[in-house]
Amino acid sequence: MALTPEEWQAVRLSLEVALRSVALGLLPAVAVALLLVRGRFRRFPPGRFLLDALVHLPLVVPPVVVGWALLMVFGLRGPIGAPLHDWFGIRLVFTTEGAALATAVMSFPLIVRAVRLGLEHVDPGLEAAARTLGAGPLDRFLTITLPLMAPGILAGAVTAFAAGLGEFGAVITFASNIPGETQTLPLAIYSATQSPGGEAVAARLAAVSLTLAVAGLLLAELIARRMHVLLGRA
């Protein structure tokens, strides 16, 4: 069951890509969740439903479609990828950063959903009481809203990290399958299954992938329960 240096490299790269994807998507996910729960959309009432549908789109379309869309937008000839490359020398396609971007897009709905559920359980009466005591919007958010929605944020981040370890379709389409650069665990497993005699390698990597995924899900549950205890909800 000992892993070779190449296999350890795939494990390390998977952890790195998943971690980068969470760091990339966490703050925007919190902002979108706040907008979905607290936004009023007075001038355009269907806006909430359209935004919610757009956020959850990566969950219902094939991941390859998401990777293709990223390729069209962030490729070297894309409307965003071309200026990034020409003006700043930044290339996302076929890079580790591109793999992290594709993973972040696929796991983004998971963070938004977890944060949204946490925010919906925040008692508006606590914020109203703080407002009557003279607390401003920023003070109320930092001292009341943010701590109460923290379990959702942490659980969403850990769940997205665990899901990012298994992302395949969007990554291979946008970032390709380059050993040492974009070949994460799922891609290494796929390569092993396509090679003669690669069943043992695929089995070892699959065992590692399964172990990491289960550990991530258990950690998300433990964090959520611990935060609920600290906040007096259990």
Side-chain angles (χ1 to χ4, degrees):
M1 289 296 295
L3 301 181
T4 66
E6 292 77 14
E7 294 165 359
W8 276 117
Q9 187 178 55
V11 174
R12 178 196 60 79
L13 191 59
S14 292
L15 295 172
E16 179 184 347
V17 167
L19 185 61
R20 286 190 182 188
S21 69
V22 173
L24 184 63
L26 186 60
L27 288 180
V30 172
V32 170
L34 284 168
L35 184 59
L36 286 171
V37 176
R38 301 292 176 87
R40 299 185 180 181
F41 298 93
R42 290 178 177 176
R43 296 186 177 181
F44 187 58
R48 187 191 310 276
F49 303 102
L50 292 176
L51 178 59
D52 189 51
L54 180 63
V55 166
H56 289 86
L57 200 59
L59 294 180
V60 296
V61 301
V64 174
V65 174
V66 176
W68 173 83
L70 290 173
L71 194 60
M72 294 297 100
V73 175
F74 291 96
L76 296 182
R77 297 183 180 180
I80 298 180
L84 284 177
H85 183 262
D86 295 339
W87 300 347
F88 306 104
I90 299 175
R91 180 172 64 89
L92 294 175
V93 64
F94 307 140
T95 64
T96 304
E97 292 77 12
L101 175 62
T103 304
V105 172
M106 293 301 300
S107 60
F108 186 79
L110 301 177
I111 306 179
V112 173
R113 186 170 183 82
V115 175
R116 183 178 180 180
L117 290 174
L119 186 59
E120 288 174 345
H121 285 83
V122 174
D123 186 1
L126 297 175
E127 297 172 309
R131 183 169 58 251
T132 60
L133 294 174
L138 183 59
D139 289 334
R140 295 197 302 270
F141 177 76
L142 294 178
T143 60
I144 296 177
T145 308
L146 185 59
L148 291 176
M149 62 189 288
I153 296 176
L154 292 175
V158 177
T159 303
F161 177 82
L165 294 173
E167 180 52 43
F168 177 82
V171 173
I172 197 172
T173 305
F174 181 61
S176 190
N177 186 8
I178 306 173
E181 184 70 26
T182 64
Q183 190 180 76
T184 57
L185 265 174
L187 274 64
I189 295 172
Y190 172 77
S191 297
T193 60
Q194 303 301 307
S195 303
E199 293 82 4
V201 175
R204 288 197 300 270
L205 294 178
V208 173
S209 180
L210 180 62
T211 301
L212 292 175
V214 172
L217 292 175
L218 291 176
L219 181 60
E221 181 66 21
L222 290 174
I223 288 176
R225 291 190 177 186
R226 180 59 178 170
M227 291 298 297
H228 282 299
V229 171
L230 292 176
L231 293 173
R233 294 180 178 178

